[in-house]
Amino acid sequence: QNPLPVLHYKTDPALKKASLEAGFSGDISLYRWYRNGEFVISTEQPLFPLEHQTIKNQETWHVEVTSNALGGVILRSKDIVISPAQ
């Protein structure tokens, strides 16, 4: 098992939608999403739709998760780079 959250970029070309998904097993209470090092939003869901986030330039995303199973420890994913062409 990977001790850190893994961030996945998912697209659905037919629907012209994209999202980020934090892959991490365990009891998670909060997901904090960051674009280019700046906080975007906190959610309670591992899936973050990018429908309101226009990707104009190459962007770097990461997520921080708060793990209840580890006593409230905050774990950070590795960065994922998204380009407009993706």
Side-chain angles (χ1 to χ4, degrees):
Q1 176 180 339
N2 190 342
L4 298 176
V6 177
L7 197 55
H8 301 280
Y9 178 66
K10 297 184 170 198
T11 61
D12 186 337
L15 298 176
K16 297 183 180 179
K17 290 187 177 182
S19 60
L20 293 171
E21 183 173 21
F24 185 79
S25 60
D27 184 13
I28 304 299
S29 63
L30 194 63
Y31 298 83
R32 291 179 194 86
W33 301 92
Y34 293 82
R35 177 175 54 194
N36 298 327
E38 299 209 10
F39 175 75
V40 176
I41 193 170
S42 292
T43 67
E44 295 180 356
Q45 302 299 320
L47 190 66
F48 178 62
L50 295 174
E51 58 197 29
H52 299 296
Q53 305 292 325
T54 303
I55 310 278
K56 295 179 183 175
N57 300 303
Q58 182 172 297
E59 298 179 352
T60 303
W61 285 80
H62 76 270
V63 65
E64 294 178 351
V65 298
T66 302
S67 172
N68 292 332
L70 298 175
V73 169
I74 296 173
L75 303 169
R76 184 190 189 281
S77 71
K78 291 183 180 180
D79 291 341
I80 185 171
V81 177
I82 300 172
S83 298
Q86 286 185 308

